[in-house]
Amino acid sequence: MMRRSTVTEEELVRSAVARLRAGILAIVCGLLAGTGLFVATMWLVLQGGKNVGQHLSLLRYFLPGYSVTWSGALLGFFYGALFGSLAGGLIAWIYNRVVDLRHPRKRTG
Amino acid sequence: MTKTIIIGAGPAGLTAAHELLALGQSAEVYEKDAVVGGISRTAEYRGYRFDIGGHRFFTKVPAVQDLWEEVLGEDFLERPRLSRIYYNDKFFDYPLKPLNALRGLGLIEAGRVGLSYLWAQLVPHPVEDNFEEWVSNRFGRRLYEVFFKTYTEKVWGMPCTEISADWAAQRIKNLDLFKAVKNAIIGAAGDQEVITTLIGRFHYPRLGPGMMWERLAERLEASGTPVHMETPVKRLHHRDSRITALTVETAAAGGEQELQADHVISSMPLRELLSSFSPPPPTEILDAANRLRYRDFLTVVLIVEREEVFPDNWIYIHSPEVRVGRVQNFKNWSPEMVPDTSATSLGLEYFVQQGDDLWSSPDEDLLELGAREMGVLGLVSASDVVDGTVVRMPKAYPVYDDAYKEALALIRGYLASFPNLQVIGRNGQHRYNNQEHSRLAGMRAARNVGGETHDVWAVNVEQQYHEEGVDSSRRAGDRLTPERLEQPELDELIRQAFARFDPVALGSALGSVAALILLSSTVALLLEGGDPVGPTLSLLGQYLTGYEVSWTGALVGFVEAGGLGFGLGLLMAKLINLLVGAAESSIRRRLEISEVFDPLSVGEP
């Protein structure tokens, strides 16, 4: 479309590439994963029954000590927060490195 | 000491004179009319005062604001603004608000507007030469027909297809998304004055805009800078690319006087300026000047025996069944514009061409037309109109038609060969300047006489120049420095808020992490051992072809999870960018509507 661009800010804004804040993404992912695993575990515990959470408890192969119990929910929160924040931080770190490679920052001033 | 002759006692000329006075330079102002202020004057009829248009005082330049406040002091009122559009027997908020417009238009019409907008986005005009194409491409043809076409054609007196797209483009030149967002942020703080294109309040002299120029003229006279009224400049004499003298017509019958000048600052219309050159300019320059067109204006003032008529300062009349374009309610600009609070004075504005049927109509006929049209619109009953008058203002607006650009370029080139002549003001530059632009051009011209080098033509073109001093958060007594330091930080924050995600980068990040998670999970199970190894995780094989909990499967899973993660990240980034872009476009479009829609507003940046 042959529109006349007269707005320089438009170009400036559209050329800006977002960066991720690794710390913030780590905290957010950590909290989400930790809370998610805690709630999922508690949900199964509260439901009760035979072989409580037989599938979710398979996570014990990756998270030593984890089980679908009250104490397992707390431990699950810890593991979820730990691995979630690691994943979040890693995603942000990789994203920012790739952005830096593809869009080198211009020196200003 | 050098002597400067200033032609015209409008906002530009008087400001130039005031600035020269401040610089200790000698100047004289010559005005052909009997009233100062140019189109920003205030006329009076039996104690009712009214504008030629409606002149809000609104500046982003602290020096201009300071001068206004200094000149008028307590008489410089701050007034609320309400202006709406009247169309199809309904009022619409202006600036347009989506919900209000939707309610007013009704569902079917709103649907048509929406569909035509989508169509314009899908199949826009490939070339935007005229106003119709320009607006339709941005807002859709239906919205253009409802809110732009009738009014714009009333104003300019020609089909929108003959109005240059440049006019609209200039209105939104440097239109600033940043400022809109800043206003949202700063406005939310609630403790600072916000000056925006969508201004909700404005300043206005207690007795109308003419009060400002009358006071300034008095001040100039008192300080030894004469303002000669009813003294038109007849000829500008030039030699060796310099204006050497001017001939003015004096009060004495047939009397003329020749004035020597070191510098000349002119705000007279370019056509008149060039035709008064002695010797005359080349024929091609005179022809170019004659190609410049102007739009003229007349106000039918109706005195209505009602305390309240409508709450707006002015109303845009889009209804095609009447010829009136805008109705001012002067009492709402300042209560002291009327001598008797039980009455109201309305200014019905007709955009005309000198010599056309309206311009040539007797005042009585125009008063009758005005009263009749108010009745048709249902705003005022004809029987409530008790008196009225008519004011005609020639050359009120320069016309941006197909020919003006080339003609103006030729004229500018020619005038540039006279280093001691500067042209300023709306008609002086044949540019749709508002008061602020005119005053800035006047200030710059005066400073150029004082030895500085400013481009007076750059006013109203490079808005950035004078918006550097944006005073959106200034408090009394503050200077600019703190705001200037904060400005880049705020700009950067806004830029970050609308920054797009890099799809490849987000894809790479999510892909890498997904691949690592699956690889490490698989390896962990393999190291743990058992029979069978990781039966549950192996179920992923139903989604990842060839995946199983084995050393080979770990590699296959690494690649496939990486690919899936990459795809997911890519899509996420694109979706986020789409939404961010939509938010940004929405803000920008609202700004564009407000800028383009108000073709005759004076005081808009």
Side-chain angles (χ1 to χ4, degrees):
Chain A
M1 188 161 71
M2 292 179 63
R3 281 189 173 167
R4 297 168 197 193
S5 176
T6 54
V7 186
T8 52
E9 284 82 3
E10 191 171 340
E11 291 155 15
L12 269 176
V13 166
R14 290 191 177 154
S15 65
V17 180
R19 257 74 177 177
L20 290 173
R21 290 178 188 275
I24 290 173
L25 196 65
I27 291 170
V28 169
C29 289
L31 281 175
L32 279 176
T35 310
L37 188 52
F38 177 80
V39 170
T41 310
M42 290 299 295
W43 180 257
L44 293 177
V45 171
L46 288 173
Q47 279 196 326
K50 267 183 152 182
N51 294 325
V52 180
Q54 54 176 327
H55 292 112
L56 196 61
S57 63
L58 292 173
L59 280 176
R60 67 180 179 275
Y61 291 112
F62 308 107
L63 314 174
Y66 173 76
S67 60
V68 182
T69 58
W70 290 97
S71 57
L74 289 175
L75 195 62
F77 178 82
F78 168 75
Y79 278 126
L82 178 68
F83 289 113
S85 57
L86 276 175
L90 193 58
I91 287 170
W93 185 82
I94 295 171
Y95 172 85
N96 289 339
R97 293 291 81 73
V98 177
V99 168
D100 284 343
L101 285 173
R102 285 164 48 81
H103 311 272
R105 283 177 205 258
K106 286 178 187 153
R107 280 182 185 279
T108 54
Chain B
M1 186 188 289
T2 58
K3 183 179 176 185
T4 303
I5 300 289
I6 296 168
I7 307 172
L14 290 178
T15 304
H18 187 269
E19 192 70 12
L20 283 169
L21 181 66
L23 293 170
Q25 300 273 349
S26 166
E28 285 189 37
V29 182
Y30 288 85
E31 167 61 51
K32 74 171 181 181
D33 220 326
V35 185
V36 296
I39 194 179
S40 302
R41 73 185 59 185
T42 299
E44 189 173 347
Y45 173 74
R46 294 186 178 170
Y48 291 90
R49 301 174 72 92
F50 46 94
D51 283 9
I52 312 299
H55 293 76
R56 281 177 289 157
F57 283 68
F58 164 47
T59 182
K60 298 171 181 176
V61 182
V64 174
Q65 182 72 21
D66 290 347
L67 179 61
W68 285 346
E69 286 174 7
E70 185 198 331
V71 171
L72 286 182
E74 294 288 307
D75 291 325
F76 202 39
L77 310 178
E78 189 182 308
R79 301 290 299 157
R81 166 186 166 169
L82 176 64
S83 52
R84 290 179 294 173
I85 297 161
Y86 191 80
Y87 172 76
N88 211 12
D89 298 333
K90 293 190 181 75
F91 284 101
F92 293 84
D93 287 344
Y94 175 77
L96 290 174
K97 290 175 187 158
L99 278 179
N100 175 269
L102 190 71
R103 261 200 310 273
L105 290 172
L107 271 181
I108 294 173
E109 187 59 44
R112 288 181 68 186
V113 167
L115 285 175
S116 84
Y117 171 74
L118 286 178
W119 181 253
Q121 301 311 301
L122 291 170
V123 193
H125 291 284
V127 179
E128 295 172 342
D129 280 336
N130 61 51
F131 183 71
E132 180 175 300
E133 290 164 350
W134 194 96
V135 176
S136 297
N137 269 2
R138 277 153 187 81
F139 309 117
R141 185 164 181 90
R142 190 62 199 154
L143 197 70
Y144 155 76
E145 284 170 351
V146 172
F147 286 120
F148 293 85
K149 186 175 189 295
T150 314
Y151 184 71
T152 308
E153 289 184 350
K154 272 186 196 180
V155 169
W156 296 109
M158 56 181 161
C160 287
T161 49
E162 288 178 24
I163 298 173
S164 165
D166 287 350
W167 173 73
Q170 186 184 317
R171 297 287 299 180
I172 68 148
K173 187 172 177 63
N174 292 329
L175 194 149
D176 204 329
L177 175 72
F178 286 7
K179 286 188 188 69
V181 178
K182 274 177 211 165
N183 291 336
I185 297 166
I186 295 166
D191 61 348
Q192 296 176 17
E193 185 183 4
V194 180
I195 299 173
T196 77
T197 52
L198 314 177
I199 187 168
R201 299 183 73 79
F202 58 87
H203 282 102
Y204 191 73
R206 190 170 52 83
L207 296 174
M211 189 181 193
M212 176 73 77
W213 313 117
E214 287 156 18
R215 286 264 179 97
L216 201 59
E218 284 165 15
R219 180 186 281 213
L220 288 168
E221 289 272 10
S223 309
T225 300
V227 180
H228 305 277
M229 304 307 295
E230 296 182 271
T231 314
V233 171
K234 306 305 286 184
R235 282 183 297 283
L236 279 88
H237 306 278
H238 62 94
R239 194 178 58 239
D240 301 332
S241 294
R242 286 191 73 79
I243 305 294
T244 52
L246 293 89
T247 300
V248 296
E249 193 177 290
T250 55
E256 287 191 344
Q257 185 186 353
E258 191 163 302
L259 310 162
Q260 303 303 312
D262 299 302
H263 293 274
V264 176
I265 297 175
S266 167
S267 64
M268 69 198 283
L270 281 174
R271 198 197 288 172
E272 291 173 21
L273 176 76
L274 288 160
S275 64
S276 62
F277 266 46
S278 175
T283 314
E284 59 168 359
I285 302 300
L286 282 176
D287 288 347
N290 288 328
R291 286 200 296 275
L292 296 179
R293 292 174 56 205
Y294 301 90
R295 189 72 171 146
D296 311 299
F297 178 88
L298 69 82
T299 301
V300 174
V301 179
L302 298 180
I303 313 297
V304 180
E305 218 165 26
R306 271 170 58 183
E307 196 168 339
E308 294 285 338
V309 176
F310 50 79
D312 308 60
N313 306 98
W314 69 91
I315 297 173
Y316 298 98
I317 307 295
H318 285 232
S319 307
E321 64 271 22
V322 293
R323 295 180 73 176
V324 62
R326 201 166 52 180
V327 182
Q328 303 282 350
N329 188 342
F330 296 113
K331 199 178 175 179
N332 292 341
W333 286 77
S334 164
E336 295 193 42
M337 296 291 274
V338 294
D340 173 7
T341 52
S342 66
T344 298
S345 62
L346 300 178
L348 282 59
E349 298 174 353
Y350 293 88
F351 308 105
V352 295
Q353 223 54 62
Q354 270 192 71
D356 71 9
D357 62 324
L358 279 180
W359 183 270
S360 315
S361 292
D363 288 2
E364 302 76 46
D365 291 358
L366 290 169
L367 289 170
E368 194 187 318
L369 172 75
R372 193 170 60 243
E373 293 200 334
M374 285 298 93
V376 169
L377 294 170
L379 292 174
V380 173
S381 162
S383 60
D384 287 337
V385 178
V386 293
D387 199 358
T389 187
V390 175
V391 177
R392 292 171 176 81
M393 174 57 72
K395 292 190 178 63
Y397 307 103
V399 171
Y400 283 11
D401 56 15
D402 290 341
Y404 96 96
K405 207 171 179 182
E406 195 187 334
L408 194 59
L410 271 173
I411 293 166
R412 279 183 66 175
Y414 176 71
L415 291 178
S417 64
F418 295 91
N420 69 333
L421 169 67
Q422 299 183 78
V423 290
I424 55 173
R426 181 181 282 194
N427 285 335
Q429 295 186 323
H430 197 82
R431 181 170 281 164
Y432 188 63
N433 286 341
N434 59 32
Q435 283 190 101
E436 183 190 23
H437 295 132
S438 293
R439 298 205 64 153
L440 274 171
M443 278 183 176
R444 283 190 188 185
R447 287 174 189 174
N448 286 345
V449 170
E452 294 181 17
T453 49
H454 297 281
D455 181 3
V456 291
W457 289 93
V459 171
N460 197 7
V461 174
E462 43 166 50
Q463 289 193 355
Q464 199 63 31
Y465 177 90
H466 59 83
E467 288 178 6
E468 284 304 316
V470 168
D471 202 20
S472 58
S473 58
R474 193 166 64 101
R475 293 179 186 86
D478 283 351
R479 302 310 297 173
L480 277 177
T481 316
E483 283 73 35
R484 281 193 173 165
L485 287 173
E486 288 170 6
Q487 198 81 352
E489 293 166 21
L490 197 49
D491 284 355
E492 184 53 32
L493 277 177
I494 292 164
R495 204 166 288 141
Q496 281 176 19
F498 289 99
R500 287 4 183 217
F501 277 83
D502 182 330
V504 173
L506 196 58
S508 305
L510 284 188
S512 307
V513 172
L516 279 175
I517 288 174
L518 189 56
L519 180 73
S520 53
S521 304
T522 311
V523 169
L525 289 177
L526 286 170
L527 293 177
E528 186 99 6
D531 187 23
V533 183
T536 310
L537 197 60
S538 295
L539 294 173
L540 274 179
Q542 292 174 13
Y543 303 102
L544 306 177
T545 313
Y547 173 75
E548 59 184 8
V549 180
S550 67
W551 291 107
T552 321
L555 289 176
V556 171
F558 180 82
V559 172
E560 291 193 23
L564 272 180
F566 182 85
L568 185 68
L570 197 89
L571 278 177
M572 274 176 65
K574 284 189 181 288
L575 189 62
I576 291 169
N577 291 347
L578 202 70
L579 296 175
V580 169
E584 185 206 324
S585 296
S586 158
I587 295 172
R588 199 179 292 284
R589 201 164 302 282
R590 273 191 311 214
L591 286 176
E592 285 184 356
I593 285 182
S594 68
E595 284 296 305
V596 179
F597 177 68
D598 195 0
L600 283 189
S601 69
V602 181
E604 292 279 17

